[in-house]
Amino acid sequence: MSAPHREFEALVTALLEKTATAEEHARLAELIQRDPDLRAEYVRQMRLHALLSFTEHGRARELPVARAVVPRRNAYWLKIAPWAALVMVLFALAAVWLAPHGVLVDVVAAQDIQPSILKQSESKRLTVLKMDQGGATLRLPSGVLLEMVAPFEIRFFDSMHVRVVRGRVTADVGEKGKGFVLDTPHTRVVDLGTRFGVDASNHLHTDVVVFQGKVELYEGAQKPKVATLTKGEGVRVENSRRMSRIVSLNGLDDSDSWIKSGTLLQRSTISAVSDNLSGKQPSLRNFYRIVPAGLRDGSMAFADEEDRWQKVPPALVGADLVRPFAIDAFNWWLKLSVTIERPSELFVFVDMRNPVPDWLPAEFTNTGETLWLDFIPSQTPGRVAKQFQYAIWRRVVEKPGKITLGAPYSNPPEDRKSFRPNRMYGVAAKPLP
């Protein structure tokens, strides 16, 4: 039995035993309102309880809630008692349905929206929100922050449950929103305290990406879990329920601006990044992050670590930045493909502690400039443990297309146990003047 069903059974038992608190009454009404299966089960249990309570072996049983209105020895009341109980059930259901529907949300931001739909800084009760242009940021009573980019349609069941019928939505759940449920036509996402995004713009599939924390994916309500995604992982869930890796995202650091790779944001120089790892590692779900104009002091260097670039040369500030995976510093067979959209300068930043790989000087030129990497171990977040100097290599790309980069090392070392690899290299690009 699932957690909602166990909670439902406990609440119904408390209701029938007359021990339910006001909060438990409200919670039961919430469960019944948002789940048709629980609503039908509630009607069934109330009807059965009424019949069993009023008639037993041809005689009336005493029902606490009806003690004052059902005399034990009155034949007339014995005949109508089951119907009276049914009426009580219907009144209870009516109370649920007549309660205010929807969710009272706070409008944190609204862009290009008619005032009749949403006004910034207002509170509004919503059951469905549908927009063809603009965007909105809403805060639910649970503290969950939803950022939506039109076109989208979203339905609100309660402060911990919404359904994205179509569109792209990013959820910042926080500590209080753990357990938040977001449904799409293809999957159910259960949050475990995180920041994640879904894109159900295409009716054939839903993209799910995790920026912080962890989520669980289910085939649907009351169905088994099919995947767990953590920071930097993303999958596409298709109508057939088949899942595939999302290889890269293109977007600013703001959570509401991410888009699937291959689509440009403004004047992006890099539109997509791919690798040769999916076939070798079928379970791999990490995605590269492309940040247009994202290179500057303090920008994150990798998709899976908190390391930061520092002392960026002025001429490179504002270049498009790729966040590869720090773990690929141990990858001897990596092939990384970067899709360039216009004539540009492509840069590779290489840790200077070991010799550069053979492919780099064959196609790139050492500029003689450097930048630094703040190494921030995951076990001590926010604390810089070491700083490493990186050499900046440059290549002029005159025509749009894919540029392939190799592994951090030309050959694996003979003694891998004692070998201390460099940190993973970095990638950036900017249009030619």
Side-chain angles (χ1 to χ4, degrees):
M1 182 183 294
S2 66
H5 277 76
R6 288 194 295 270
E7 182 183 13
F8 169 79
E9 294 290 346
L11 291 172
V12 169
T13 300
L15 177 67
L16 295 177
E17 293 178 352
K18 300 184 67 177
T19 61
T21 64
E23 290 78 10
E24 289 173 326
H25 275 280
R27 177 57 178 163
L28 178 58
E30 181 181 313
L31 290 175
I32 295 171
Q33 182 176 337
R34 79 182 189 186
D35 192 323
D37 293 337
L38 293 183
R39 189 157 56 247
E41 178 63 15
Y42 176 79
V43 173
R44 189 190 71 80
Q45 290 201 27
M46 291 298 103
R47 180 179 296 173
L48 179 62
H49 178 78
L51 292 173
L52 291 176
S53 299
F54 282 101
T55 58
E56 182 180 22
H57 304 298
R59 298 179 59 192
R61 280 182 62 195
E62 183 179 8
L63 181 66
V65 296
R67 184 180 299 163
V69 297
V70 185
R72 283 177 175 249
R73 295 184 176 86
N74 190 315
Y76 171 76
W77 283 105
L78 286 175
K79 291 180 181 179
I80 70 169
W83 300 104
L86 182 57
V87 170
M88 292 172 62
V89 172
L90 294 176
F91 270 114
L93 285 175
V96 172
W97 284 105
L98 292 177
H101 283 195
V103 179
L104 187 64
V105 304
D106 295 327
V107 182
V108 178
Q111 302 87 31
D112 301 325
I113 301 176
Q114 296 178 0
S116 60
I117 300 177
L118 289 179
K119 294 180 182 179
Q120 190 162 322
S121 302
E122 74 170 341
S123 295
K124 189 168 184 176
R125 190 171 293 277
L126 297 175
T127 54
V128 178
L129 181 59
K130 183 178 179 180
M131 294 172 49
D132 293 323
Q133 63 180 15
T137 301
L138 307 178
R139 179 175 286 108
L140 306 183
S142 58
V144 173
L145 200 66
L146 299 178
E147 300 170 347
M148 297 158 285
V149 178
F152 68 83
E153 179 179 349
I154 184 170
R155 298 178 183 176
F156 300 84
F157 299 110
D158 58 50
S159 65
M160 290 289 288
H161 185 195
V162 301
R163 179 177 178 84
V164 178
V165 180
R166 66 184 178 100
R168 177 159 43 92
V169 177
T170 303
D172 194 339
V173 173
E175 289 297 320
K176 295 182 180 179
K178 286 185 178 180
F180 177 71
V181 176
L182 188 150
D183 290 325
T184 78
H186 311 94
T187 189
R188 163 167 284 191
V189 184
V190 177
D191 177 85
L192 302 178
T194 188
R195 182 172 153 216
F196 69 94
V198 301
D199 189 346
S201 301
N202 190 312
H203 71 281
L204 296 177
H205 59 254
T206 293
D207 292 337
V208 183
V209 294
V210 180
F211 302 111
Q212 295 288 340
K214 181 188 299 184
V215 302
E216 294 177 339
L217 301 187
Y218 296 79
E219 288 188 359
Q222 315 305 327
K223 293 185 178 180
K225 182 175 70 174
V226 294
T228 298
L229 303 180
T230 59
K231 175 186 175 181
E233 294 185 329
V235 295
R236 169 168 290 179
V237 184
E238 300 178 358
N239 277 334
S240 62
R241 301 299 187 239
R242 187 178 72 89
M243 291 190 299
S244 57
R245 175 191 175 198
I246 293 177
V247 181
S248 66
L249 295 181
N250 191 327
L252 306 177
D253 283 335
D254 299 331
S255 61
D256 63 347
S257 66
W258 66 275
I259 56 177
K260 186 72 172 59
S261 64
T263 304
L264 292 180
L265 277 178
Q266 300 173 350
R267 293 287 294 172
S268 301
T269 303
I270 301 175
S271 63
V273 179
S274 60
D275 57 33
N276 62 335
L277 302 181
S278 295
K280 299 177 180 292
Q281 304 176 32
S283 62
L284 185 66
R285 291 169 176 162
N286 296 86
F287 59 81
Y288 298 95
R289 187 70 182 266
I290 306 164
V291 187
L295 182 58
R296 58 181 51 85
D297 286 357
S299 56
M300 291 182 60
F302 304 116
D304 55 343
E305 296 288 352
E306 297 296 323
D307 300 354
R308 309 255 172 182
W309 295 119
Q310 301 291 355
K311 301 181 181 179
V312 178
L316 282 182
V317 172
D320 285 6
L321 177 64
V322 175
R323 294 177 185 162
F325 309 137
I327 190 65
D328 279 336
F330 299 90
N331 191 333
W332 318 111
W333 58 89
L334 176 69
K335 296 292 182 182
L336 198 65
S337 296
V338 180
T339 301
I340 303 295
E341 291 294 331
R342 55 186 52 85
S344 62
E345 297 175 286
L346 180 62
F347 299 93
V348 175
F349 314 141
V350 182
D351 190 340
M352 298 176 65
R353 291 175 294 167
N354 283 322
V356 299
D358 294 340
W359 60 266
L360 192 62
E363 300 178 347
F364 288 74
T365 301
N366 191 339
T367 66
E369 294 187 294
T370 64
L371 75 170
W372 292 76
L373 181 77
D374 282 350
F375 172 48
I376 305 174
S378 57
Q379 60 269 27
T380 57
R383 188 176 70 84
V384 178
K386 294 180 181 179
Q387 288 186 315
F388 302 122
Q389 192 172 23
Y390 274 62
I392 300 175
W393 291 70
R394 172 181 174 269
R395 174 179 174 178
V396 175
V397 181
E398 296 181 347
K399 296 181 179 180
K402 284 187 178 182
I403 304 298
T404 300
L405 310 178
Y409 305 98
S410 298
N411 296 294
E414 295 181 1
D415 181 8
R416 298 190 186 185
K417 291 184 179 180
S418 61
F419 182 68
R420 294 293 179 268
N422 292 347
R423 299 293 288 170
M424 179 58 183
Y425 57 74
V427 179
K430 60 183 301 185
L432 285 173

